[in-house]
Amino acid sequence: MKTMQIGTLSDQTGVHIETIRYYERESILPKPMRNGGGRRVYDGSDVRMLNFIHKCRGFGYSLKEIVNLLELVDTGRFTCKQIHDRTLEQAIGVSEKIKQLKIMERELLQMASQCGQGNKPKCPIIDSLFLE
Amino acid sequence: MKTMQIGTLSDQTGVHIETIRYYERESILPKPMRNGGGRRVYDGSDVRMLNFIHKCRGFGYSLKEIVNLLELVDTGRFTCKQIHDRTLEQAIGVSEKIKQLKIMERELLQMASQCGQGNKPKCPIIDSLFLE
DNA sequence: TCTTGCTCCTGTAGGGCCTACAGGTAGCAT
DNA sequence: ATGCTACCTGTAGGCCCTACAGGAGCAAGA
């Protein structure tokens, strides 16, 4: 089996070395084997697991939620339906965020468009930020 | 001039009391007057300022950036063009976030749709999260 | 007048998720 | 032997809150 050190794991997953060690400290990743010199040794299963965590983070799961998910997976104590529902929930959360951000985007662009871009210290953007 | 205590300020702006006190500690908000009993007393200008901060936070500005902005505003050391450019930058950042979230949303929904929702501990969602 | 109950006070610690640094070792190439 | 890079541990910091604990102000009712 192909093994690697932490730097390679970091490269392959896009997760910073410090973050990997942090995940280990927080028991989100299992403690890896060490080589003769005391260095962490990882293999393909670690890559898979870290990818899982990284993806989930990207999807907005908290580390706690990820740990829960991983436990479900590890112990096989989950049904496909459970995971389906959680995923859907997550998707709804994401689309909610998108909505919010779109409103922001629109407001920002609108503010920018109202701005004369002059060189005087008087700006409608600032004014509108003070409102409401 | 109408004055209020911290709870009312919190209600009017949607910013938690603790957060208001935190902003004061961090010199983001000016230290307010106190009444006889030692309680903070605010007025309309505080509402405006806190709204500004709150909105900016919502638009993704860090507290440090907000302090910078407020200094610019206070001292009049800004041009309309400067603010315009910052706002546009912010808008670009927001639309970047939206793009990312849309990808997420699509992936999540796709994963959910591939799921049989059965009651067995075997799920294509989990499988796909382990990939990449 | 006394009590109840709410809002407020200060100070400090914790939480989530990293990130950075200091001071040292492993391991490989020259 | 000498560099150099990648790694190690431990700890502190950063950002932005959030949550106590232990106490005081204050208005309204019994």
Side-chain angles (χ1 to χ4, degrees):
Chain A
M1 196 157 209
K2 229 181 7 201
T3 65
M4 68 196 78
Q5 295 193 2
I6 199 167
T8 311
L9 180 63
S10 170
D11 289 344
Q12 289 202 8
T13 58
V15 178
H16 288 162
I17 289 178
E18 279 93 348
T19 307
I20 295 172
R21 288 198 281 246
Y22 167 76
Y23 285 170
E24 181 186 329
R25 269 204 308 286
E26 297 295 309
S27 304
I28 291 154
L29 281 176
K31 290 202 186 310
M33 299 288 104
R34 301 292 181 123
N35 71 6
R39 298 186 173 195
R40 290 169 178 82
V41 176
Y42 298 99
D43 64 20
S45 73
D46 296 299
V47 176
R48 282 184 353 118
M49 191 145 183
L50 195 48
N51 269 329
F52 177 89
I53 294 167
H54 194 43
K55 266 200 174 176
C56 287
R57 286 291 298 138
F59 284 151
Y61 285 95
S62 71
L63 290 178
K64 193 176 266 182
E65 287 173 313
I66 293 170
V67 167
N68 285 346
L69 265 182
L70 281 171
E71 273 173 14
L72 283 184
V73 176
D74 273 0
T75 56
R77 282 188 310 92
F78 74 89
T79 66
C80 196
K81 173 97 170 66
Q82 282 175 315
I83 304 289
H84 173 269
D85 292 351
R86 286 203 193 195
T87 305
L88 221 52
E89 249 172 58
Q90 209 65 21
I92 289 166
V94 168
S95 77
E96 195 49 47
K97 261 190 211 162
I98 290 175
K99 248 185 240 164
Q100 295 295 324
L101 284 172
K102 276 187 176 163
I103 292 171
M104 267 188 219
E105 191 190 23
R106 200 168 50 238
E107 281 195 50
L108 284 168
L109 289 175
Q110 199 190 331
M111 288 194 303
S113 76
Q114 283 171 358
C115 178
Q117 299 187 49
N119 56 4
K120 294 205 205 96
K122 172 86 195 95
C123 182
I125 292 175
I126 297 295
D127 295 346
S128 79
L129 280 169
F130 273 107
L131 291 182
E132 155 88 354
Chain B
M1 195 158 210
K2 231 178 10 197
T3 63
M4 67 195 80
Q5 296 193 3
I6 200 167
T8 311
L9 181 62
S10 169
D11 288 345
Q12 287 201 10
T13 58
V15 178
H16 287 162
I17 289 177
E18 279 94 347
T19 307
I20 295 173
R21 288 198 282 247
Y22 167 75
Y23 287 170
E24 182 187 329
R25 268 204 310 284
E26 298 294 310
S27 303
I28 291 155
L29 281 176
K31 289 201 188 306
M33 299 286 104
R34 301 293 181 122
N35 70 6
R39 296 186 175 195
R40 290 168 178 82
V41 177
Y42 299 98
D43 63 20
S45 72
D46 296 301
V47 176
R48 282 183 353 118
M49 190 147 183
L50 194 49
N51 271 329
F52 178 89
I53 295 166
H54 194 43
K55 264 198 173 175
C56 287
R57 286 291 298 137
F59 284 149
Y61 286 94
S62 72
L63 291 179
K64 192 176 265 180
E65 288 172 310
I66 293 169
V67 168
N68 286 345
L69 265 182
L70 281 171
E71 273 173 12
L72 283 184
V73 175
D74 274 0
T75 57
R77 283 186 309 93
F78 72 91
T79 65
C80 197
K81 173 100 171 65
Q82 283 176 315
I83 304 287
H84 173 270
D85 292 352
R86 287 204 194 193
T87 306
L88 219 53
E89 247 173 59
Q90 209 66 21
I92 289 166
V94 168
S95 76
E96 194 48 49
K97 261 190 212 164
I98 291 175
K99 246 185 242 162
Q100 294 295 322
L101 284 173
K102 275 186 178 166
I103 292 172
M104 267 187 219
E105 190 190 23
R106 200 168 49 242
E107 281 195 49
L108 284 168
L109 290 174
Q110 199 189 330
M111 287 194 304
S113 76
Q114 284 171 359
C115 177
Q117 300 186 49
N119 56 4
K120 293 205 205 97
K122 175 85 194 94
C123 182
I125 292 176
I126 297 296
D127 294 345
S128 79
L129 280 169
F130 274 107
L131 290 182
E132 154 89 352

